[in-house]
Amino acid sequence: MGKTILFVRERRKVEKGEKKPRFAFVGSVGTDLRIKVKHIRKNEIEQIAAMIGAEVVYLEAGKHEDDEDEDED
């Protein structure tokens, strides 16, 4: 896998009109990029991707109830 990919997803508890960053950085492939923030804005993600020549993949977030089931294993 030669190209750089950044994986992000929308935060769960973001209300409409809220002025907090809306995305969570999940991980990356093909780069040693380190993200030092917990949440990030879409335009910031796109600026970083443009600078390093990366593709951005927006993951679909699952429902919170599904995540709780996984923790029980």
Side-chain angles (χ1 to χ4, degrees), residues 12-68:
R12 296 178 218 274
K13 298 181 181 179
V14 177
E15 296 183 23
K16 192 167 186 160
E18 188 174 345
K19 300 218 185 255
K20 294 181 182 175
R22 186 172 170 172
F23 291 89
F25 180 77
V26 177
S28 64
V29 173
T31 183
D32 60 356
L33 174 71
R34 294 194 179 130
I35 302 290
K36 302 270 185 182
V37 296
K38 192 172 184 179
H39 302 115
I40 191 166
R41 291 176 170 79
K42 185 174 184 177
N43 67 341
E44 295 168 339
I45 295 165
E46 291 173 354
Q47 285 178 24
I48 291 168
M51 290 296 297
I52 65 173
E55 174 187 351
V56 180
V57 175
Y58 295 94
L59 303 172
E60 293 183 27
K63 295 187 178 185
H64 185 48
E65 294 80 23
D66 293 340
D67 292 344
E68 290 179 353

